[in-house]
Amino acid sequence: MVKTYKGCFAAVFIFIDFLVLLLCYHITQAPVLYYILAVIILLSSIFYIVYKLRPDFRDFLDDHVDIPFLYALVVLLCSIVFLRTGVMDLLSLKNPSRAVLSNAEFTMNRHILNLNTYRLSGTNEEEETLSLNINKDLYNSFSYAVPSEELEDHSKKQSYAYSENALFDVTYLSGSKRVLAITAQDLPAEDPEDTQASDLIPDSSSLESLQAEITSITDATTMEAKVTDLKDYSGDVIKNGSTITIHGSMTLLYPFNVQGFYEIKEGDQVEFPISDVSTGDGITVETSYLNLVTAP
């Protein structure tokens, strides 16, 4: 009977381990160590089942070693990591950990059966590198990288890195490092030493702006679009839903607010300052650059 209790003891911990993998890591998001421990538990369980089902084998081993005790001990030792993660996550649910990250990088690792993993890494206030788990929605919200379905077959990883001046306020569970929320903070005030460099950045503070969805791309400087938000435009020519031609003094294919490689395509939502509006042959809006708002 005591040996049976040892098996039940192990079964309880296995169930807890599974819950931690499911609730904290959604099965596929855990670090490699967790899967190594899970394999050890699985192999131990298979051995224990064989031990229970084969009386001759069981009688032989019982004369030399207490198999149920060893099995329960192996499961317990392997479960310590899972238990620690689960307890820390439970304790931090009411008061999640918080960090402000610079040098943020959003990364997606593609796996079989589309079981992709998403991570956010960056430097916190103590100049320590922090790596956190994020879900697909957060990744798509803050990364301008190419969607996973458009990756080439041999491409297993993609990432998008922000500059060191871009700050992200992150709340996360301390055990599993699972991010609950991300807020992009305003960029810090410009240093006087950077004034000369900032002269190279287009100043659109005094210009009106529009948001539109790109419907077709004629060439590098000309695109057709449908207005989706008038923003601070105060004129009478352009309305919500108007079809316009966006024309730039230089290439518009690469959004100004994206530092990694990204090329504007049909379906993208863009925001841009208005330099001039003409109505000769349809509505043409002159601009100097586009900012990417969302990708389809």
Side-chain angles (χ1 to χ4, degrees), residues 92-120:
S92 61
L93 279 175
K94 290 186 177 180
N95 187 25
S97 299
R98 178 179 173 272
V100 177
L101 300 181
S102 59
N103 296 308
E105 182 175 6
F106 293 81
T107 304
M108 181 192 75
N109 290 286
R110 191 168 66 172
H111 304 291
I112 60 173
L113 302 179
N114 202 31
L115 298 176
N116 302 330
T117 56
Y118 306 89
R119 298 191 68 80
L120 163 63

Side-chain angles (χ1 to χ4, degrees), residues 168-271:
F168 293 88
D169 193 339
V170 180
T171 55
Y172 62 95
L173 300 180
S174 58
S176 61
K177 305 296 183 184
R178 179 163 60 91
V179 172
L180 301 176
I182 303 176
T183 303
Q185 293 190 348
D186 293 333
L187 296 182
E190 189 178 67
D191 293 332
E193 298 176 358
D194 296 332
T195 302
Q196 184 176 0
S198 67
D199 292 339
L200 301 175
I201 301 176
D203 180 12
S204 59
S205 58
S206 61
L207 299 178
E208 296 178 334
S209 61
L210 287 172
Q211 181 173 322
E213 178 182 337
I214 302 299
T215 55
S216 66
I217 299 175
T218 306
D219 53 45
T221 60
T222 308
M223 302 180 184
E224 301 295 324
K226 179 180 179 181
V227 176
T228 57
D229 192 333
L230 294 176
K231 293 295 182 180
D232 51 6
Y233 174 72
S234 58
D236 298 325
V237 176
I238 303 174
K239 309 293 183 182
N240 256 327
S242 295
T243 299
I244 62 174
T245 299
I246 304 174
H247 185 265
S249 55
M250 58 183 67
T251 180
L252 298 176
L253 288 177
Y254 309 106
F256 179 74
N257 64 332
V258 177
Q259 295 183 347
F261 177 79
Y262 184 89
E263 186 172 311
I264 294 290
K265 58 182 180 296
E266 294 180 10
D268 285 349
Q269 289 278 343
V270 296
E271 183 180 347

